[in-house]
Amino acid sequence: MKYRRLGGSDLNVSVISLGSWLTYSGGVEKADAIACVRKALDLGVNFIDTANVYGRGAAESLLGEALQGVERGSYLLATKVFGAMSDTDEGLSRRQIFKQIDASLARLKTDYVDLYQCHRYDEDTPLEETMQALTEVVRLGKARYIGFSEWPLDKIEAAAVLKGVARFVSSQPQYSLLWPYPQTDIFPRCADLGITQIVWSPLAQGVLTGKYSPKAPPPPRSRATSKTMGSMLPKRWLEAPVLEAVLEVKRVAEEAGVSLAQFALAWALRQKNVSSAIIGASRPEQVAENVVAADIAIAEDYFFRAEEILEPVR
């Protein structure tokens, strides 16, 4: 495993991290989910990402159970706030931030998280109120650092110039060979501000593993066939032109001597501003395969070819 510094923090995060978005909020059996967490830790993954809204607390509760007995200083834990936890609990107001951090810590069975992230930007709350509340959370020791996910560039810049508040150290955007767009403006501006990326869905929700065929129905137990997880998978990524292009990229990956999943993860990690790529796994062997991407070198020419293949179908 390799590790990279997270923005302006003193956190060194594993370049492959474990996420819990759909898999551990009900999409995977508890025993399988806990096995994935333990496998990841065994392989050197030290960064685990979740959110309060994943299963409305289910993912945090599962991680709280899975991490019992594991020395707290041996891993880094991140969660998020913003999504609706009830009909009246949502957003980034001071009241919500303080209510939700305490609820998250209780479910995670820990006194603090290493990274507390704003899951989206809250248009209904003044930015100053959000940043001051997050700063108090840090001062109280409930979070070591703060970050955001999918914030627009102008709001990132506005937060950066506020006086007397904690600074963001991380950004969490969707980023993959099928969704490369943040690299155009978000990555370079964040680099200027001392913020690095923790990218989600680097395998395009499993499409970039090559498991889906343009000429056959999705395989059993895949995300596309799951009632709980399949609804979030963009339908266009399962259309024949996209899947045919993905199979071409799979052949490029094989030429490079790696699996398509490893190739896609290595592509994301080629960016210096990317500190970690979040994987979702339903079986321990998936974790093991993906972790290999932390330690492989692939010539840029292979990446250029893959980008040319996928550009027309993005």
Side-chain angles (χ1 to χ4, degrees):
M1 181 57 67
K2 288 184 170 64
Y3 303 85
R4 295 179 183 175
R5 185 62 60 91
L6 186 64
S9 76
D10 63 357
L11 304 179
N12 290 309
V13 299
S14 51
V15 297
I16 301 296
S17 46
L18 185 65
S20 59
W21 171 29
L22 297 171
T23 43
Y24 305 158
S25 59
V28 174
E29 293 295 329
K30 181 190 289 189
D32 293 333
I34 292 175
C36 287
V37 173
R38 294 306 178 101
K39 185 66 172 180
L41 294 173
D42 289 345
L43 293 173
V45 171
N46 75 342
F47 186 80
I48 299 172
D49 180 80
T50 190
N52 63 345
V53 78
Y54 296 166
R56 286 195 171 177
E60 287 181 330
S61 294
L62 185 140
L63 288 173
E65 181 176 342
L67 293 167
Q68 284 300 289
V70 180
E71 200 277 307
R72 181 63 182 88
S74 68
Y75 63 88
L76 303 171
L77 191 57
T79 193
K80 309 182 194 74
V81 58
F82 172 79
M85 294 299 288
S86 73
D87 291 341
T88 57
D89 290 307
E90 183 178 9
L92 299 177
S93 68
R94 173 185 169 81
R95 175 180 173 275
Q96 280 302 307
I97 286 173
F98 273 84
K99 179 176 183 177
Q100 298 306 329
I101 185 64
D102 287 343
S104 288
L105 294 178
R107 287 188 291 265
L108 290 165
K109 302 182 189 301
T110 184
D111 295 328
Y112 68 95
V113 289
D114 299 278
L115 183 66
Y116 200 43
Q117 303 158 100
C118 299
H119 210 158
R120 293 296 185 271
Y121 186 76
D122 184 358
E123 296 285 356
D124 297 323
T125 300
L127 177 61
E128 293 81 359
E129 178 180 340
T130 295
M131 297 304 296
Q132 287 166 3
L134 292 170
T135 301
E136 289 185 52
V137 166
V138 172
R139 287 175 179 163
L140 289 169
K142 296 181 180 184
R144 294 173 66 188
Y145 295 99
I146 58 172
F148 58 83
S149 178
E150 302 288 358
W151 272 31
L153 185 56
D154 64 323
K155 304 306 182 184
I156 298 170
E157 293 176 328
V161 298
L162 289 178
K163 304 297 184 183
V165 298
R167 295 296 168 209
F168 286 129
V169 300
S170 67
S171 162
Q172 190 175 131
Q174 179 178 191
Y175 183 61
S176 73
L177 272 163
L178 283 172
W179 193 266
Y181 311 111
Q183 68 187 11
T184 302
D185 53 1
I186 297 295
F187 285 18
R189 188 66 182 112
C190 280
D192 293 340
L193 296 171
I195 296 168
T196 58
Q197 313 297 318
I198 308 162
V199 300
W200 63 272
S201 204
L203 301 181
Q205 297 196 49
V207 174
L208 290 173
T209 65
K211 71 174 69 174
Y212 301 112
S213 168
K215 299 179 180 180
R221 296 190 65 193
S222 64
R223 181 167 295 191
T225 62
S226 170
K227 290 182 180 179
T228 56
M229 298 187 288
S231 62
M232 302 301 294
L233 180 57
K235 290 182 173 59
R236 63 182 182 83
W237 285 355
L238 296 176
E239 293 173 354
V242 175
L243 296 180
E244 286 166 358
V246 167
L247 289 181
E248 285 189 57
V249 175
K250 183 178 181 181
R251 288 189 280 272
V252 173
E254 289 168 350
E255 283 184 45
V258 297
S259 72
L260 178 55
Q262 292 163 347
F263 183 88
L265 288 166
W267 177 87
L269 291 170
R270 85 201 190 288
Q271 289 274 3
K272 291 182 179 179
N273 193 242
V274 173
S275 290
S276 189
I278 300 172
I279 63 166
S282 55
R283 301 187 305 279
E285 52 268 31
Q286 291 175 327
V287 178
E289 179 190 349
N290 291 339
V291 161
V292 173
D295 203 33
I296 58 177
I298 296 174
E300 283 290 317
D301 180 62
Y302 290 112
F303 292 146
F304 292 147
R305 288 168 58 191
E307 290 167 351
E308 288 177 354
I309 292 167
L310 291 174
E311 197 279 331
V313 299
R314 284 178 180 145

